[in-house]
Amino acid sequence: EPEPSASSSSGPTLLPMPRVIRVGDLDQYAVSPALVEYVKRVHEGVLRIKTPKGTGSGMHWGNGWVLTNTHVLCGKNHLDPSVDMSTISIEVLDIDSNVIETFGGHHRLAFVVDLGLGDRYSDLAMIKLGPQLEYGRPEEAWHQWEKEEREKISKLPALVGESIRHKATLAADDQMIVDAQDGNGVALQRHIASFVAAALSAPVFPIHYGNGTPGLPKQISEPGTVTHHTPWTHFNHTSHTRPGSSGSPVFVGPLPQDGSYALLGVTQSGNIADDRDNTALFFFSFEPLVRSLMHKYGRLAALKDLAKSNAGVRDLVAPHIEQAQRVLTAVEANHNVYVLPPWGCMA
């Protein structure tokens, strides 16, 4: 049995945190109150994804976009995505692992990216909840389910705002920001790299839906350490990762800079036999690419929707559609990007 931890005379004796626990039980163990408060703030942004192939984890990026792994949706053959998005359900669980919202049963905009990092899983998937077009489509043209989902996603934390890149940028001095806005971002990039390098000495932990527990509750793993990293693509860590954890966010903290917490990466694979060999992608390594793709797909969809619904502007819009498609085709070819069929809003 583990030895009880030291406690104050005014409070109960708390045991050390086990390898994996339910998120709602975190305050029953000897962990920092700051960690408990942080997890309470962000945990509803960690989503459970159910598919005909199994269950995985994901996170709410923001504005209804959900980030997970392609192999969560499509199985191991992530280079041949063909999943029917209407068979996918995405659940929001409260801190006690009760389902409080469900998104499912609709064709959605979704795309996948194979980052080509070798024999490790290096695949990302983005799924759009709520309104399916980012630009130009009037609210009265939305389906009823899109309107209902918009209300649901308005309550979810946007975890992109927790990213370590975002936190490092906030900590940069004003001149770095001005220089970056003027096209000279070298100093800012060096600052971000230095900030992240220092953060790698802090504990890391995923919040996930590993399938080792009946009912697939929302869980948090005991904080571990970064054992190895490949600048700046992926890292290995010792915080316990179970099957079903793929796509889960990996947080880091308390940071040496200010004692806060941040989103460091996304779980890609785990090694049940050896917890020193769990692999995650650095979030900031793919954040700019994914953000750009979200914008480009949304713009192309809006242009096509406008041309389809308004014959009077069809000829005017056509060149812009062609240009947007050319840009996307080039990006897709360079980064192994695929759109999952059927794209409901493009039908």
Side-chain angles (χ1 to χ4, degrees):
E1 293 292 324
E3 291 293 325
S5 66
S7 62
S8 68
S9 58
S10 61
T13 298
L14 300 177
L15 294 174
M17 181 178 172
R19 292 176 75 194
V20 184
I21 61 170
R22 291 172 179 252
V23 167
D25 295 337
L26 184 61
D27 59 1
Q28 299 177 23
Y29 295 93
V31 299
S32 162
L35 174 60
V36 174
E37 290 306 309
Y38 183 76
V39 170
K40 286 181 178 179
R41 181 162 65 82
V42 301
H43 78 89
E44 284 191 5
V46 184
L47 308 173
R48 187 165 68 187
I49 300 176
K50 291 186 174 181
T51 80
K53 300 178 182 295
T55 300
S57 306
M59 62 174 237
H60 180 232
W61 175 295
N63 195 33
W65 285 96
V66 174
L67 171 67
T68 185
N69 291 153
T70 307
H71 67 266
V72 169
L73 302 182
C74 306
K76 292 184 178 180
N77 189 9
H78 57 279
L79 293 178
D80 184 24
S82 58
V83 66
D84 180 349
M85 290 306 299
S86 67
T87 66
I88 305 300
S89 64
I90 298 175
E91 297 175 335
V92 184
L93 278 69
D94 66 16
I95 200 163
D96 295 315
S97 293
N98 302 305
V99 177
I100 54 177
E101 298 289 2
T102 300
F103 303 85
H106 302 289
H107 295 309
R108 303 182 185 279
L109 165 57
F111 62 87
V112 302
V113 185
D114 173 31
L115 296 177
L117 298 179
D119 58 353
R120 293 285 185 184
Y121 279 126
S122 55
D123 52 321
L124 300 171
M126 295 295 294
I127 307 165
K128 184 68 171 69
L129 308 179
Q132 294 297 292
L133 299 187
E134 294 294 312
Y135 309 97
R137 185 162 166 245
E139 187 171 343
E140 56 268 22
W142 296 356
H143 298 293
Q144 183 59 33
W145 65 267
E146 292 178 288
K147 297 176 183 179
E148 293 170 354
E149 289 193 353
R150 181 180 66 167
E151 294 303 314
K152 295 178 184 179
I153 64 178
S154 67
K155 304 170 187 176
L156 298 179
L159 295 190
V160 69
E162 303 295 329
S163 77
I164 198 162
R165 175 191 287 270
H166 179 68
K167 186 170 289 290
T169 301
L170 291 177
D173 63 47
D174 292 342
Q175 189 58 50
M176 290 180 187
I177 302 298
V178 171
D179 290 345
Q181 291 172 341
D182 290 341
N184 181 11
V186 174
L188 179 60
Q189 291 304 315
R190 287 176 177 168
H191 164 77
I192 292 173
S194 175
F195 192 99
V196 173
L200 295 181
S201 65
V204 298
F205 56 93
I207 301 177
H208 58 89
Y209 294 94
N211 64 8
T213 305
L216 299 172
K218 185 182 299 181
Q219 302 169 33
I220 180 172
S221 294
E222 178 187 17
T225 59
V226 174
T227 57
H228 172 76
H229 73 276
T230 302
W232 290 103
T233 58
H234 58 280
F235 60 95
N236 299 91
H237 64 86
T238 63
S239 189
H240 192 52
T241 302
R242 296 181 172 188
S245 301
S246 292
S248 62
V250 180
F251 298 94
V252 60
L255 296 175
Q257 292 91 338
D258 58 9
S260 65
Y261 295 83
L263 172 63
L264 181 64
V266 176
T267 299
Q268 289 291 293
S269 62
N271 188 332
I272 298 175
D274 184 358
D275 265 338
R276 295 171 298 177
D277 198 28
N278 301 313
T279 304
L281 281 174
F282 281 117
F283 186 82
F284 59 83
S285 68
F286 59 80
E287 182 181 346
L289 170 62
V290 170
R291 191 186 295 275
S292 173
L293 286 166
M294 287 160 49
H295 174 85
K296 287 178 170 62
Y297 281 122
R299 182 172 184 271
L300 176 61
L303 288 169
K304 288 190 173 183
D305 188 75
L306 179 62
K308 181 174 66 177
S309 61
N310 190 332
V313 300
R314 192 167 298 156
D315 291 342
L316 294 174
V317 172
H320 298 283
I321 292 177
E322 292 175 5
Q323 174 62 19
Q325 187 64 71
R326 281 197 298 270
V327 170
L328 264 173
T329 299
V331 173
E332 289 170 349
N334 288 336
H335 295 282
N336 297 319
V337 180
Y338 307 82
V339 178
L340 293 179
W343 186 349
C345 61
M346 298 294 290

